[in-house]
Amino acid sequence: MSKLEDIVSLCKRRGFIFPGSDIYGGMAGTWDFGPLGVMLKKNLMDSWWHFFVEKRDDMYGVDAAILMNPRTWEASGHTATFADPLVECKECKSRFRADKIADGITESVTTEEFLNTHTKCPVCGKENWGPIRKFNMMFETHVGAVLPDDNAELADKNKAYLRPETAQGIFTNYKNIVDTIYPDLPFGIAQQGKSFRNEISPRDFILRDRECYQMEIEYFVKPDTWEENFEKMRALQHDFLTNVAGLKSEDIHEYEVPTEDRAHYSKRTIDFMFDYPNGEEELMGLAYRTDFDLANIARESGKSMEYRDKKTNETFVPHIIEPSIGVERLFLAVLSTAYTEDEIDGEKRTILKLPSHLAPYKFCVSPLLKNKPELVEKAHEVYNLLKEKYTFVTWDDSGNIGKRYRKQDEIGTPKCIVIDFDTLEDDTVTIRDRDTATQIRKKIAEL
Ligand SMILES: [Zn+2]
């Protein structure tokens, strides 16, 4: 098995991630987070929020609606251009994203360019392609009482989209925040939330799925200060990825996106790539978006997006620097960094070496033997004590102690606390360390 397959299997076996709607045969590009996955994901999202919002004086949070007025997506250009090149094999009718099955072409590939690559169909092996068609990735829905057999005009009037990015919920609240909080520049607005993309071919586990959590910041700056603020944001991202998410810097590679590949409004973009088990993939992006977004909103809404400097009274439209990261991508990067196999006393084991602030549980408490009531009672006492203090504590009295250690190693619990007969005598417990498998004794009162 490849390392990715090992991780997928661990995720399913231990309750981190299950395939979506598995019981009905699944639903491509969807994944369900189980009890442990929810805890790890929540810890990741909370750490991000704490690092980028709570700890700082220049960041504000929003939680905007997923359904937004469709004019949002007209102004942002999504209705017109949020599309992937779709190509169909005329032999077997399979559909693909053209730029994902052929080398050396981009999303803007033409039919002719694609045919020139002489790509064979990954399913049937033939080379007989239809034309490239632009496939918009936004999920459409209808809002309000619209029936399928209603007239097309009404249906069209009530059309809405599941948001394809959280950023627009930030831009559209920029004026609300300026008018209520009166922040000084530079300041940022952060949002975490679900986004939806109708990927033509979801793949690579949770790397390319059809719905995902995004964590985005739009950082508003004075236009002539964008470069220094861009550098500050860039350093902050590294700080978060390595010191908070626990990734290794040697696995993170910055890719300066060249002018011809950048979105036309962006003056500078850096893709942060990560060495995933299946190869290098994008982990996050940092983009200087100029005044593109606010200018679009001002045009579409007819409302001024100008900011008035409190000291100089000068008015201007702020420019924006946007760091954007997908939670699932970060989750997989954290898992693949933590996933380790080693050998203890000739026995193979799997460990998730998660940083302890991210691990689903910090401690596991168990009685050495579960058929000795005095041990079980004492262990419950310790469990309740720790649970009150730390919250993230689990109880395990299944199987033998060796099996419990294996399980806690696999779910990344940093410390196992075992209550044995000595505990009854001197109130000390064994604390076993996940990474080194070494044990020390400590007084309960010192835990
Ligand atoms: Zn085919």
Side-chain angles (χ1 to χ4, degrees):
M1 283 210 295
S2 72
K3 186 174 172 186
L4 185 63
E5 287 166 337
D6 285 333
I7 291 173
V8 174
S9 150
L10 171 76
C11 281
K12 193 171 176 187
R13 187 168 72 243
R14 293 302 185 189
F16 282 90
I17 300 174
F18 307 112
S21 330
D22 205 16
I23 206 160
Y24 291 118
M27 170 106 180
T30 67
W31 297 90
D32 295 342
F33 283 71
L36 296 184
V38 168
M39 286 190 271
L40 175 51
K41 180 155 86 168
K42 191 166 181 307
N43 289 344
L44 262 178
M45 292 174 74
D46 289 351
S47 302
W48 185 91
W49 193 260
H50 182 67
F51 183 89
F52 285 107
V53 184
E54 289 166 351
K55 259 176 58 178
R56 302 177 60 96
D57 296 324
D58 59 347
M59 294 282 191
Y60 305 91
V62 285
D63 187 7
I66 286 176
L67 295 171
M68 299 180 74
N69 188 310
R71 286 171 69 194
T72 311
W73 312 112
E74 294 289 339
S76 68
H78 281 79
T79 318
T81 61
F82 190 59
D84 274 342
L86 174 73
V87 70
E88 186 178 290
C89 168
K90 286 199 216 160
E91 300 287 334
C92 72
K93 306 290 175 218
S94 299
R95 290 179 169 189
F96 306 95
R97 228 181 105 170
D99 58 327
K100 291 291 165 190
I101 56 168
D103 288 330
I105 57 169
T106 64
E107 287 164 16
S108 50
V109 63
T110 62
T111 301
E112 195 189 344
E113 282 164 358
F114 177 72
L115 294 179
N116 281 339
T117 63
H118 294 289
T119 302
K120 303 239 182 314
C121 171
V123 172
C124 70
K126 306 233 170 65
E127 192 189 324
N128 183 10
W129 298 105
I132 298 266
R133 285 181 293 164
K134 283 286 171 194
F135 174 74
N136 195 296
M137 288 190 290
M138 287 197 289
F139 280 102
E140 268 180 40
T141 185
H142 296 276
V143 171
V146 184
L147 295 170
D149 54 0
D150 276 337
N151 67 59
E153 202 184 321
L154 184 62
D156 206 50
K157 222 178 93 193
N158 287 276
K159 193 152 84 177
Y161 303 95
L162 300 186
R163 68 178 174 202
E165 61 173 33
T166 56
Q168 296 301 325
I170 298 179
F171 300 135
T172 49
N173 277 292
Y174 154 81
K175 199 171 157 47
N176 288 335
I177 287 166
V178 168
D179 291 348
T180 51
I181 311 280
Y182 308 108
D184 288 323
L185 282 183
F187 72 91
I189 306 177
Q191 176 164 231
Q192 298 182 330
K194 277 244 164 140
S195 292
F196 303 81
R197 295 179 183 198
N198 197 359
E199 291 279 353
I200 294 171
S201 37
R203 65 193 169 86
D204 293 339
F205 193 32
I206 52 174
L207 265 191
R208 203 173 297 283
D209 42 11
R210 290 195 165 120
E211 52 175 285
C212 74
Y213 273 96
Q214 282 187 312
M215 304 192 284
E216 294 192 298
I217 294 169
E218 305 303 330
Y219 200 64
F220 301 87
V221 305
K222 260 185 105 160
D224 59 3
T225 65
W226 79 265
E227 276 163 309
E228 59 192 90
N229 282 303
F230 189 94
E231 286 307 324
K232 267 190 216 160
M233 270 299 146
R234 180 182 179 182
L236 264 184
Q237 305 310 313
H238 268 287
D239 191 8
F240 171 77
L241 293 175
T242 54
N243 294 324
V244 181
L247 308 184
K248 297 181 190 136
S249 3
E250 65 259 33
D251 292 337
I252 302 165
H253 312 284
E254 284 190 14
Y255 172 70
E256 188 85 45
V257 180
T259 318
E260 62 270 25
D261 294 344
R262 274 197 311 256
H264 60 95
Y265 51 80
S266 176
K267 290 267 171 64
R268 189 175 178 198
T269 301
I270 294 177
D271 286 343
F272 286 65
M273 309 299 283
F274 182 80
D275 291 326
Y276 285 99
N278 277 12
E280 200 179 83
E281 276 275 357
E282 189 181 334
L283 169 64
M284 62 160 295
L286 178 65
Y288 167 46
R289 303 177 62 100
T290 67
D291 64 352
F292 176 76
D293 307 281
L294 292 183
N296 281 342
I297 291 176
R299 199 183 50 244
E300 181 75 21
S301 69
K303 306 219 165 67
S304 166
M305 292 295 128
E306 282 192 330
Y307 178 91
R308 181 180 293 277
D309 189 295
K310 280 173 234 163
K311 287 193 201 97
T312 63
N313 245 350
E314 183 193 354
T315 58
F316 54 89
V317 175
H319 281 203
I320 289 173
I321 293 159
E322 175 196 73
S324 170
I325 189 163
V327 174
E328 286 77 2
R329 284 173 175 256
L330 179 60
F331 190 101
L332 188 58
V334 166
L335 273 191
S336 48
T337 304
Y339 186 94
T340 315
E341 289 173 352
D342 70 0
E343 237 172 65
I344 297 274
D345 303 327
E347 202 190 326
K348 265 199 163 174
R349 67 164 181 161
T350 304
I351 337 167
L352 281 189
K353 293 189 173 177
L354 293 169
S356 77
H357 64 278
L358 296 180
Y361 298 113
K362 315 279 171 268
F363 302 101
C364 171
V365 177
S366 61
L368 181 65
L369 302 165
K370 68 170 169 187
N371 54 2
K372 299 286 175 200
E374 61 272 38
L375 290 186
V376 175
E377 194 190 331
K378 189 75 186 169
H380 270 300
E381 225 176 81
V382 175
Y383 173 74
N384 290 332
L385 186 89
L386 283 177
K387 186 105 182 162
E388 207 153 282
K389 223 165 150 183
Y390 298 106
T391 319
F392 305 102
V393 184
T394 183
W395 170 270
D396 194 356
D397 60 7
S398 62
N400 63 36
I401 195 76
K403 276 212 173 115
R404 288 178 221 161
Y405 287 156
R406 289 301 95 80
K407 178 182 166 190
Q408 296 305 322
D409 287 345
E410 276 202 356
I411 65 174
T413 310
K415 306 279 181 201
C416 283
I417 295 172
V418 179
I419 282 72
D420 55 23
F421 291 105
D422 288 344
T423 313
L424 304 176
E425 301 291 315
D426 60 6
D427 252 8
T428 62
V429 292
T430 300
I431 304 174
R432 185 255 190 195
D433 181 75
R434 173 193 70 197
D435 298 346
T436 60
T438 52
Q439 306 187 354
I440 55 164
R441 280 198 87 81
K442 222 173 186 177
K443 287 264 185 206
I444 291 172
E446 291 166 12
L447 290 175

